Amino acid sequence: MTRRRIGVIGLGMAAAPHAQSLIDLASRVDVAGCFSPTPSRREAFAKTFRLPVVDRMETILDDPTVSAVLVLTPPDSHADVVARCAAAGKHVLLEKPLDATPEGARAVVETMERAGLTLGVVFQHRFRASAERLADLLERGVLGRPVSAAVSVRWWRDAGYYAQPGRGMKARDGGGVLLTQAIHTLDLFVSLLGLPRAVAGFAGTSPLRTIDTEDVVAAALRYENGLLATVNATTAAFPGFPERIEIAGTAGSAVLSGDTLEVDLHTGEAIREGGEKGTLGGGADPMNFPNLHHRAVLANFLDALDGDGRPRVDGREALKVHRLIEALLGSDGGVRVADA
């Protein structure tokens, strides 16, 4: 394995689990520098994690020894920052979403592909042991043919969360509960069952906060094979509950609640997996989870670079959940075909 020089761009809320993961994988990475345009953030980050900080993005991009960059900036900056990384010949591990807009998301993927560089996207829910077990059961047909499914993300975000400038606004985040919070669970759902053929849904904003994006969503999905599914997502459900994926198949059912998987088969066999503590993130503290799954994402990205392969979630894979979210927001109670 190669010990790679890595830079970090963006030191906001999302930086903590990534910083700890870099520390945990110190035998594989050498952190060249971590950048934020805000001096106070650089100071706090350096004090907390003892990692080097720099006051110019160019210090990272112009360093020929840096082969990869973790991009953790706000969504509206992703297309621009990734383009600058690509121009500098750097591989990128990008915090979700790909970008704040559908056009920007596609541009991120195409920019890295044109440059012949590796793009990994941080969708850490796929790396949970319980999610991996469910994926294996579905692949082996243990549940039979899925006929009904449901995704539920009923989280809570308090006034302090939305007090940050631009939080929950289209100009910065691009979207609300779907693109910012539920995207992880939706991505996992898509990885398990694929994209639907048709979507019918509604999205709205509750009276709890003054944002211009959705914080309440309800939708129905129809799949080519006849599977029917529902999506229920909100950040208005106090005090916040574990996200759930439920799948009923012709041979049994599975419920993935947070990190806990419960499977009951028609044969009478029961399967239980997971139950890790402190991994919800559904309450007022959005960072209430350990970094082990972020560490797994980073390790997988490094494996891809070392083996000249693809990360588990590359740009094209990440675009799938963006297409689903675009369809959910665009259906407005009607039917819109999700392009698989």
Side-chain angles (χ1 to χ4, degrees):
M1 294 185 294
T2 304
R3 191 165 187 261
R4 292 186 174 272
R5 291 264 290 171
I6 287 182
V8 179
I9 298 176
L11 302 179
M13 181 187 296
H18 293 287
Q20 188 58 55
S21 298
L22 289 167
I23 293 169
D24 293 347
L25 295 173
S27 64
R28 300 190 64 182
V29 297
D30 175 24
V31 180
C34 305
F35 168 75
S36 168
T38 307
S40 60
R41 281 191 175 175
R42 294 196 300 268
E43 181 180 356
F45 182 86
K47 182 178 180 181
T48 301
F49 297 105
R50 306 296 180 185
L51 293 173
V53 296
V54 296
D55 59 5
R56 296 174 64 251
M57 189 188 307
E58 290 75 15
T59 303
I60 296 171
L61 298 181
D62 294 343
D63 186 342
T65 69
V66 172
S67 61
V69 176
L70 270 66
V71 176
L72 314 177
T73 57
D76 64 328
S77 68
H78 285 183
D80 177 65
V81 174
V82 169
R84 295 181 66 178
C85 290
K90 314 298 185 189
H91 303 291
V92 171
L93 179 58
L94 178 66
E95 182 57 76
K96 63 80 186 170
L98 284 167
D99 190 71
T101 68
E103 298 77 19
R106 289 188 287 270
V108 163
V109 176
E110 292 166 0
T111 294
M112 293 296 287
E113 288 179 343
R114 284 195 301 269
L117 295 164
T118 298
L119 172 64
V121 186
V122 181
F123 281 121
Q124 71 271 12
H125 282 24
R126 294 198 192 196
F127 291 78
R128 292 174 170 177
S130 52
E132 292 175 329
R133 182 70 182 280
L134 178 55
D136 176 66
L137 294 173
L138 287 168
E139 185 177 354
R140 292 191 290 115
V142 174
L143 295 177
R145 181 170 69 86
V147 295
S148 175
V151 184
S152 177
V153 182
R154 300 189 63 76
W155 285 2
W156 169 251
R157 291 294 181 263
D158 61 14
Y161 175 83
Y162 288 104
Q164 181 179 336
R167 178 75 70 188
M169 305 301 285
K170 290 180 182 178
R172 194 197 80 156
D173 290 346
V177 62
L178 293 179
L179 197 64
T180 305
Q181 286 89 25
I183 188 171
H184 284 294
T185 308
L186 291 173
D187 169 74
L188 176 56
F189 183 77
V190 168
S191 77
L192 295 171
L193 295 173
L195 284 170
R197 177 176 62 82
V199 172
F202 298 90
T205 305
S206 75
L208 290 170
R209 65 256 324 190
T210 55
I211 56 176
D212 64 359
T213 57
E214 83 291 345
D215 64 355
V216 181
V217 175
L221 317 177
R222 179 186 293 277
Y223 283 74
E224 202 68 53
N225 62 1
L227 168 67
L228 297 179
T230 61
V231 173
N232 186 304
T234 184
T235 54
F238 179 82
F241 305 91
E243 67 275 12
R244 290 170 66 91
I245 292 176
E246 303 176 34
I247 301 171
T250 55
S253 297
V255 176
L256 183 61
S257 178
D259 279 351
T260 301
L261 174 65
E262 298 180 70
V263 177
D264 293 283
L265 302 177
H266 292 186
T267 60
E269 180 185 359
I271 300 170
R272 302 293 183 262
E273 180 88 37
E276 299 158 1
K277 295 181 179 180
T279 58
L280 301 183
D285 180 4
M287 304 307 292
N288 179 30
F289 54 81
N291 74 299
L292 71 161
H293 304 116
H294 284 75
R295 184 173 65 232
V297 172
L298 177 58
N300 175 256
F301 178 69
L302 294 171
D303 290 343
L305 297 184
D306 289 345
D308 195 27
R310 296 168 54 186
R312 187 183 299 184
V313 188
D314 63 7
R316 289 291 164 184
E317 187 67 16
L319 274 175
K320 293 178 181 179
V321 71
H322 280 262
R323 287 200 287 268
L324 175 59
I325 290 172
E326 188 177 1
L328 288 169
L329 291 175
S331 66
D332 193 25
V335 176
R336 178 183 176 124
V337 175
D339 181 8

